Amino acid sequence: MRCKNRREISTGVGVDRRPTNKALVQFCPKVAPIWEQFARILGPKPFEDNEIEIIQRNHRGDVVQQAKAMLQQWKSENKNKATVKCLCKAMCEVQRQSDAEEAFGYDAVATCLESYV
């Protein structure tokens, strides 16, 4: 199903590229409500519970800032393996495909799902 809002976050080009910092900031509100669950499945190396606890402590009470810190840490630690494809796959795994489509575009999510099957 195509997303009605075709505004896409500037991700660079293609699902195998790293998302820009701007894209991650814009993506934060979408992942904020579920950021802990998301962090536990976000590849290529999911977050451990102690890493999640540190982020929670450092940004107490602000889930958007927690999500932002998690995404920045993910991108920093995973270097070129931190791709739009990883974000799309994780969003689909937590049943948030429509949010991934809105953020990265229908075609990006469809490409991720094709390689996921």
Side-chain angles (χ1 to χ4, degrees):
M1 171 169 138
R2 282 197 181 263
C3 180
K4 292 178 184 174
N5 180 358
R6 293 294 295 161
R7 181 184 66 80
E8 296 177 14
I9 293 174
S10 173
T11 58
V13 178
V15 295
D16 292 319
R17 297 272 178 112
R18 286 171 48 109
T20 63
N21 290 333
K22 180 180 178 182
L24 291 181
V25 168
Q26 291 175 314
F27 187 62
C28 284
K30 295 187 181 316
V31 75
I34 54 145
W35 81 267
E36 294 167 56
Q37 177 187 8
F38 187 78
R40 287 184 176 96
I41 62 170
L42 181 59
K45 179 191 163 288
F47 283 73
E48 300 288 333
D49 288 342
N50 64 323
E51 294 173 300
I52 291 170
E53 290 168 8
I54 291 168
I55 292 170
Q56 289 171 323
R57 235 185 348 262
N58 290 343
H59 304 281
R60 200 174 302 278
D62 188 341
V63 294
V64 174
Q65 285 302 313
Q66 291 170 352
K68 181 179 177 184
M70 179 268 299
L71 290 169
Q72 290 172 335
Q73 182 176 331
W74 166 77
K75 185 176 176 183
S76 174
E77 289 179 359
N78 290 288
K79 309 279 186 239
N80 291 334
K81 293 180 181 177
T83 64
V84 170
K85 183 185 288 185
C86 292
L87 294 171
C88 288
K89 283 183 180 181
M91 286 300 276
C92 291
E93 284 187 42
V94 294
Q95 308 300 309
R96 302 289 288 259
Q97 182 174 339
S98 61
D99 284 337
E101 289 173 357
E102 185 177 335
F104 301 109
Y106 175 82
D107 294 337
V109 175
T111 299
C112 292
L113 291 176
E114 287 172 8
S115 65
Y116 188 61
V117 176

